[in-house]
Structure formats: C-alpha cells, structure tokens
Coordinates of all heavy atoms in Angstrom, one line a residue:
M1 N -6.8 -43.1 -34.2 CA -8.1 -43.0 -33.6 C -8.1 -43.2 -32.1 O -8.8 -42.6 -31.3 CB -9.1 -44.0 -34.2 CG -10.5 -44.0 -33.8 SD -11.2 -42.5 -34.3 CE -12.8 -42.7 -33.8
S2 N -7.2 -44.1 -31.7 CA -7.1 -44.4 -30.2 C -6.5 -43.2 -29.5 O -6.9 -43.0 -28.3 CB -6.2 -45.7 -30.0 OG -4.9 -45.4 -30.5
I3 N -5.7 -42.4 -30.1 CA -5.1 -41.2 -29.5 C -6.3 -40.2 -29.2 O -6.3 -39.6 -28.2 CB -4.0 -40.6 -30.3 CG1 -2.8 -41.5 -30.3 CG2 -3.6 -39.2 -29.7 CD1 -1.7 -41.1 -31.2
L4 N -7.1 -40.1 -30.2 CA -8.3 -39.2 -30.0 C -9.2 -39.6 -28.9 O -9.7 -38.8 -28.1 CB -9.1 -39.1 -31.3 CG -10.2 -38.1 -31.4 CD1 -9.6 -36.7 -31.2 CD2 -10.9 -38.1 -32.8
I5 N -9.4 -40.9 -28.8 CA -10.3 -41.5 -27.7 C -9.6 -41.2 -26.4 O -10.2 -40.8 -25.4 CB -10.6 -43.0 -27.9 CG1 -11.5 -43.1 -29.2 CG2 -11.3 -43.6 -26.7 CD1 -11.7 -44.5 -29.6
A6 N -8.3 -41.5 -26.3 CA -7.6 -41.3 -25.0 C -7.6 -39.8 -24.6 O -7.7 -39.5 -23.4 CB -6.1 -41.7 -25.2
L7 N -7.5 -38.9 -25.6 CA -7.6 -37.5 -25.3 C -8.9 -37.1 -24.8 O -9.1 -36.3 -23.9 CB -7.2 -36.7 -26.6 CG -7.1 -35.2 -26.4 CD1 -6.0 -34.8 -25.4 CD2 -6.8 -34.5 -27.7
A8 N -10.0 -37.7 -25.4 CA -11.3 -37.4 -24.9 C -11.6 -37.9 -23.5 O -12.2 -37.2 -22.7 CB -12.3 -38.0 -25.9
V9 N -11.1 -39.1 -23.2 CA -11.2 -39.6 -21.9 C -10.4 -38.7 -20.9 O -10.9 -38.4 -19.8 CB -10.7 -41.1 -21.8 CG1 -10.6 -41.6 -20.4 CG2 -11.7 -42.0 -22.6
L10 N -9.2 -38.3 -21.2 CA -8.4 -37.5 -20.3 C -9.1 -36.2 -20.1 O -9.1 -35.6 -19.0 CB -7.0 -37.3 -21.0 CG -6.0 -36.5 -20.1 CD1 -5.7 -37.2 -18.8 CD2 -4.8 -36.3 -20.9
S11 N -9.7 -35.6 -21.1 CA -10.4 -34.3 -21.0 C -11.6 -34.5 -20.1 O -11.9 -33.6 -19.2 CB -10.9 -33.8 -22.3 OG -9.8 -33.5 -23.1
A12 N -12.4 -35.6 -20.2 CA -13.5 -35.8 -19.4 C -13.1 -36.0 -17.9 O -13.8 -35.5 -17.0 CB -14.3 -37.0 -19.9
V13 N -12.0 -36.7 -17.7 CA -11.5 -36.9 -16.3 C -11.1 -35.5 -15.7 O -11.4 -35.2 -14.6 CB -10.4 -37.9 -16.3 CG1 -9.7 -37.9 -14.9 CG2 -10.9 -39.3 -16.6
A14 N -10.4 -34.7 -16.5 CA -10.0 -33.4 -16.1 C -11.2 -32.5 -15.7 O -11.2 -31.8 -14.7 CB -9.2 -32.7 -17.1
V15 N -12.2 -32.5 -16.5 CA -13.4 -31.7 -16.2 C -14.1 -32.2 -14.9 O -14.5 -31.4 -14.1 CB -14.4 -31.7 -17.4 CG1 -15.8 -31.2 -17.1 CG2 -13.8 -31.0 -18.6
A16 N -14.2 -33.5 -14.8 CA -14.8 -34.1 -13.6 C -14.0 -33.7 -12.3 O -14.6 -33.4 -11.3 CB -15.0 -35.6 -13.8
C17 N -12.7 -33.8 -12.4 CA -11.9 -33.5 -11.3 C -12.0 -32.0 -10.9 O -12.0 -31.6 -9.8 CB -10.4 -33.9 -11.5 SG -10.1 -35.7 -11.5
T18 N -12.1 -31.2 -11.9 CA -12.3 -29.7 -11.7 C -13.6 -29.5 -11.0 O -13.6 -28.7 -10.0 CB -12.2 -29.0 -13.0 OG1 -11.0 -29.2 -13.6 CG2 -12.4 -27.5 -12.8
I19 N -14.6 -30.1 -11.4 CA -15.9 -29.9 -10.7 C -15.9 -30.4 -9.3 O -16.4 -29.7 -8.4 CB -17.0 -30.6 -11.6 CG1 -17.2 -29.9 -12.9 CG2 -18.4 -30.6 -10.8 CD1 -18.1 -30.6 -13.9
V20 N -15.3 -31.5 -9.1 CA -15.2 -32.1 -7.7 C -14.4 -31.1 -6.8 O -14.8 -30.8 -5.7 CB -14.6 -33.5 -7.7 CG1 -14.3 -34.0 -6.3 CG2 -15.6 -34.5 -8.4
T21 N -13.3 -30.6 -7.3 CA -12.4 -29.7 -6.6 C -13.2 -28.4 -6.2 O -13.0 -27.9 -5.1 CB -11.1 -29.4 -7.3 OG1 -10.5 -30.7 -7.6 CG2 -10.2 -28.5 -6.6
L22 N -13.9 -27.9 -7.2 CA -14.7 -26.7 -6.9 C -15.7 -26.9 -5.9 O -16.0 -26.0 -5.1 CB -15.3 -26.1 -8.2 CG -14.3 -25.5 -9.2 CD1 -15.1 -25.2 -10.5 CD2 -13.7 -24.3 -8.7
I23 N -16.3 -28.0 -5.8 CA -17.3 -28.3 -4.8 C -16.7 -28.5 -3.4 O -17.2 -28.0 -2.4 CB -18.1 -29.6 -5.2 CG1 -19.0 -29.3 -6.4 CG2 -19.0 -30.1 -4.0 CD1 -19.6 -30.5 -7.0
R24 N -15.5 -29.1 -3.3 CA -14.9 -29.4 -2.1 C -14.0 -28.3 -1.5 O -13.5 -28.4 -0.4 CB -14.0 -30.7 -2.2 CG -14.8 -31.9 -2.4 CD -13.9 -33.1 -2.5 NE -14.5 -34.3 -2.8 CZ -13.9 -35.5 -3.0 NH1 -12.6 -35.5 -3.0 NH2 -14.6 -36.5 -3.2
D25 N -13.7 -27.3 -2.3 CA -12.6 -26.4 -1.9 C -12.9 -25.5 -0.6 O -12.1 -25.0 0.0 CB -12.1 -25.5 -3.0 CG -13.1 -24.4 -3.3 OD1 -14.3 -24.5 -2.9 OD2 -12.8 -23.4 -4.0
G26 N -14.2 -25.4 -0.3 CA -14.5 -24.7 0.9 C -14.6 -23.2 0.8 O -14.7 -22.5 1.8
Y27 N -14.4 -22.7 -0.4 CA -14.5 -21.2 -0.6 C -15.9 -20.7 -0.5 O -16.8 -21.1 -1.2 CB -13.9 -20.8 -2.0 CG -14.1 -19.4 -2.3 CD1 -13.2 -18.4 -1.7 CD2 -15.1 -18.9 -3.1 CE1 -13.4 -17.1 -1.9 CE2 -15.2 -17.5 -3.3 CZ -14.4 -16.6 -2.7 OH -14.5 -15.3 -3.0
R28 N -16.1 -19.9 0.5 CA -17.5 -19.4 0.7 C -17.3 -17.9 1.2 O -16.3 -17.6 1.9 CB -18.2 -20.1 1.8 CG -18.4 -21.6 1.5 CD -19.5 -21.8 0.4 NE -19.7 -23.3 0.2 CZ -19.0 -23.9 -0.8 NH1 -18.1 -23.3 -1.5 NH2 -19.3 -25.2 -1.0
P29 N -18.2 -17.1 0.9 CA -18.1 -15.7 1.5 C -18.1 -15.7 3.0 O -18.9 -16.4 3.6 CB -19.4 -15.0 0.9 CG -19.9 -15.8 -0.2 CD -19.4 -17.2 0.1
V30 N -17.3 -14.9 3.6 CA -17.2 -14.8 5.0 C -17.5 -13.4 5.4 O -17.0 -12.4 4.8 CB -15.8 -15.1 5.5 CG1 -15.7 -15.0 7.0 CG2 -15.4 -16.5 5.1
R31 N -18.4 -13.2 6.4 CA -18.8 -11.9 6.8 C -17.6 -11.2 7.5 O -16.9 -11.8 8.3 CB -20.0 -12.0 7.8 CG -21.2 -12.4 7.1 CD -22.4 -12.4 8.0 NE -23.6 -13.0 7.4 CZ -24.8 -12.5 7.6 NH1 -25.0 -11.6 8.5 NH2 -25.8 -13.1 6.9
T32 N -17.5 -9.9 7.3 CA -16.5 -9.1 7.9 C -16.9 -8.6 9.3 O -18.1 -8.1 9.4 CB -16.1 -7.9 7.0 OG1 -15.7 -8.4 5.8 CG2 -15.0 -7.1 7.6
D33 N -16.1 -8.8 10.3 CA -16.4 -8.3 11.6 C -16.1 -6.8 11.6 O -15.0 -6.3 11.6 CB -15.6 -9.0 12.7 CG -15.9 -8.6 14.1 OD1 -16.9 -7.8 14.3 OD2 -15.2 -9.0 15.0
G34 N -17.2 -6.0 11.6 CA -17.0 -4.5 11.6 C -16.3 -3.9 12.8 O -15.7 -2.8 12.7
T35 N -16.3 -4.6 13.9 CA -15.6 -4.1 15.1 C -14.1 -4.2 14.9 O -13.4 -3.5 15.7 CB -16.0 -4.8 16.3 OG1 -15.7 -6.2 16.2 CG2 -17.5 -4.7 16.5
R36 N -13.6 -5.0 14.0 CA -12.1 -5.1 13.8 C -11.6 -4.2 12.8 O -10.3 -4.1 12.6 CB -11.8 -6.5 13.5 CG -12.2 -7.5 14.6 CD -11.8 -8.9 14.3 NE -10.4 -9.0 14.4 CZ -9.7 -10.0 13.9 NH1 -10.3 -11.0 13.4 NH2 -8.4 -10.0 14.1
L37 N -12.4 -3.4 12.1 CA -11.9 -2.5 11.1 C -11.4 -1.2 11.7 O -12.0 -0.7 12.7 CB -13.1 -2.2 10.1 CG -13.6 -3.4 9.3 CD1 -14.8 -2.9 8.4 CD2 -12.5 -3.9 8.4
P38 N -10.3 -0.6 11.1 CA -9.9 0.6 11.7 C -10.8 1.8 11.3 O -11.6 1.7 10.3 CB -8.5 0.8 11.0 CG -8.6 0.1 9.7 CD -9.5 -1.1 10.0
D39 N -10.8 2.8 12.1 CA -11.6 4.0 11.8 C -11.1 4.7 10.6 O -9.9 5.0 10.6 CB -11.7 4.9 13.0 CG -12.4 4.3 14.2 OD1 -13.2 3.4 14.0 OD2 -12.1 4.7 15.4
A40 N -11.9 4.8 9.6 CA -11.4 5.4 8.3 C -11.7 6.9 8.3 O -12.8 7.3 8.7 CB -12.0 4.7 7.2
A41 N -10.7 7.7 7.9 CA -11.0 9.1 7.7 C -11.8 9.3 6.4 O -11.7 8.5 5.5 CB -9.7 9.9 7.5
P42 N -12.7 10.3 6.4 CA -13.5 10.5 5.2 C -12.7 10.9 4.0 O -11.7 11.6 4.2 CB -14.5 11.6 5.6 CG -13.9 12.3 6.8 CD -13.0 11.2 7.5
R43 N -13.0 10.3 2.9 CA -12.3 10.6 1.6 C -12.6 12.0 1.1 O -13.8 12.4 1.1 CB -12.5 9.6 0.6 CG -12.1 8.2 1.0 CD -12.3 7.3 -0.2 NE -11.9 5.9 0.2 CZ -12.0 4.9 -0.7 NH1 -12.5 5.1 -1.9 NH2 -11.5 3.7 -0.3
Q44 N -11.6 12.6 0.5 CA -11.9 13.9 -0.2 C -12.0 13.6 -1.6 O -11.2 13.0 -2.2 CB -10.7 14.9 0.1 CG -10.5 15.3 1.5 CD -9.3 16.2 1.6 OE1 -8.6 16.5 0.7 NE2 -9.2 16.7 2.9
S45 N -13.2 14.0 -2.2 CA -13.4 13.7 -3.6 C -12.9 14.9 -4.4 O -12.9 16.1 -4.0 CB -14.9 13.5 -3.8 OG -15.6 14.6 -3.5
T46 N -12.5 14.6 -5.7 CA -12.1 15.7 -6.6 C -13.2 16.0 -7.5 O -14.0 15.1 -7.8 CB -10.9 15.2 -7.4 OG1 -11.2 14.0 -8.1 CG2 -9.7 15.0 -6.5
P47 N -13.3 17.2 -8.0 CA -14.4 17.5 -8.9 C -14.3 16.7 -10.2 O -13.2 16.3 -10.6 CB -14.2 19.0 -9.2 CG -13.2 19.5 -8.3 CD -12.5 18.3 -7.7
S48 N -15.4 16.4 -10.9 CA -15.3 15.6 -12.1 C -14.5 16.3 -13.1 O -14.6 17.5 -13.3 CB -16.8 15.4 -12.6 OG -17.5 14.6 -11.7
G49 N -13.7 15.5 -13.8 CA -12.9 16.0 -14.9 C -11.6 16.5 -14.6 O -10.8 16.8 -15.4
S50 N -11.3 16.7 -13.3 CA -10.0 17.1 -12.9 C -9.1 16.0 -12.4 O -9.6 15.1 -11.7 CB -10.1 18.2 -11.8 OG -10.6 17.7 -10.6
P51 N -7.9 15.9 -12.8 CA -7.0 14.9 -12.3 C -6.7 15.0 -10.8 O -6.8 16.1 -10.2 CB -5.7 15.0 -13.1 CG -5.8 16.4 -13.7 CD -7.2 16.8 -13.7
C52 N -6.4 13.9 -10.2 CA -6.2 13.9 -8.7 C -5.0 14.8 -8.3 O -5.0 15.3 -7.2 CB -5.9 12.5 -8.2 SG -7.3 11.4 -8.4
G53 N -4.0 15.0 -9.1 CA -2.9 15.8 -8.8 C -3.0 17.2 -9.2 O -2.0 18.0 -9.2
S54 N -4.1 17.7 -9.6 CA -4.2 19.1 -10.1 C -4.2 20.0 -8.9 O -4.4 19.6 -7.8 CB -5.5 19.2 -10.9 OG -6.6 19.1 -10.0
G55 N -4.0 21.3 -9.2 CA -4.0 22.3 -8.1 C -2.6 22.7 -7.9 O -1.7 22.9 -8.8
Q56 N -2.3 23.0 -6.6 CA -1.0 23.6 -6.3 C 0.2 22.6 -6.6 O 1.2 23.1 -7.0 CB -1.0 23.9 -4.8 CG 0.2 24.8 -4.4 CD 0.1 25.2 -2.9 OE1 -0.6 24.6 -2.2 NE2 0.9 26.2 -2.6
D57 N 0.0 21.4 -6.3 CA 1.1 20.4 -6.6 C 1.5 20.4 -8.1 O 2.6 20.3 -8.4 CB 0.6 19.0 -6.2 CG 0.5 18.9 -4.7 OD1 1.1 19.7 -3.9 OD2 -0.3 18.1 -4.2
A58 N 0.5 20.5 -9.0 CA 0.7 20.5 -10.4 C 1.5 21.7 -10.8 O 2.4 21.6 -11.7 CB -0.5 20.3 -11.2
S59 N 1.2 22.9 -10.3 CA 1.9 24.1 -10.7 C 3.4 24.0 -10.2 O 4.3 24.5 -10.9 CB 1.2 25.3 -10.1 OG 1.3 25.3 -8.7
I60 N 3.7 23.4 -9.1 CA 5.0 23.2 -8.6 C 5.8 22.3 -9.5 O 7.0 22.5 -9.9 CB 5.1 22.7 -7.2 CG1 4.5 23.8 -6.2 CG2 6.5 22.4 -6.7 CD1 4.3 23.3 -4.8
A61 N 5.2 21.2 -10.0 CA 5.8 20.3 -10.9 C 6.2 20.8 -12.2 O 7.1 20.4 -12.9 CB 4.9 19.0 -11.0
R62 N 5.4 21.8 -12.7 CA 5.7 22.4 -14.0 C 6.9 23.3 -14.0 O 7.4 23.6 -15.1 CB 4.4 23.2 -14.5 CG 3.3 22.3 -14.8 CD 2.1 23.1 -15.4 NE 0.9 22.4 -15.3 CZ -0.3 22.9 -14.9 NH1 -0.4 24.2 -14.6 NH2 -1.3 22.1 -14.8
R63 N 7.3 23.8 -12.9 CA 8.4 24.8 -12.9 C 9.7 24.2 -13.2 O 10.2 23.2 -13.2 CB 8.5 25.5 -11.5 CG 7.3 26.3 -11.2 CD 7.5 27.0 -9.9 NE 6.2 27.7 -9.6 CZ 6.0 28.3 -8.5 NH1 6.9 28.3 -7.5 NH2 4.8 28.9 -8.3

C-alpha cells in the first residue's frame, strides 16, 4: 500500500512540475517581420487530380 501512495505522490508532483514549467517556459507567438522575408516567386499550381510530376517529365521517365 505504501508503494501505491508513493507512486500517487510522485505522479502528483510530476503533474504540478509540468504545469509550472509550461507556465514559465516563455513560449509565446512572435509576430513575423514581413520586411525580412525574401520575395517569393508565385507558385504554379497543378490541375486537380494530376500528380506533380506529370507531363513531359513523366514521359521521359517511362522510356
């Protein structure tokens, strides 16, 4: 019985320490400075249902 009580106390301490660590860790969303981002080229989208590698590249790979 004493082992069960010790395990329950250890579990309670672990949960409490986890909660304290999550509160103190300082993880918060940080805004991105848009002026530091590189200029991105527009993406070319593929038609629905076709794989990205379809077209001329796929015909060369089949030969």
Side-chain angles (χ1 to χ4, degrees):
M1 184 69 176
S2 62
I3 294 176
L4 188 59
I5 293 171
L7 184 61
V9 169
L10 184 63
S11 296
V13 169
V15 168
C17 289
T18 301
I19 292 171
V20 169
T21 301
L22 288 174
I23 292 171
R24 290 184 184 172
D25 74 344
Y27 175 77
R28 303 287 180 266
V30 178
R31 294 183 183 214
T32 303
D33 184 5
T35 61
R36 299 184 69 191
L37 296 174
D39 293 335
R43 294 183 180 181
Q44 295 178 357
S45 61
T46 59
S48 296
S50 66
C52 293
S54 66
Q56 190 175 18
D57 295 334
S59 65
I60 293 172
R62 290 185 200 138
R63 293 184 189 173

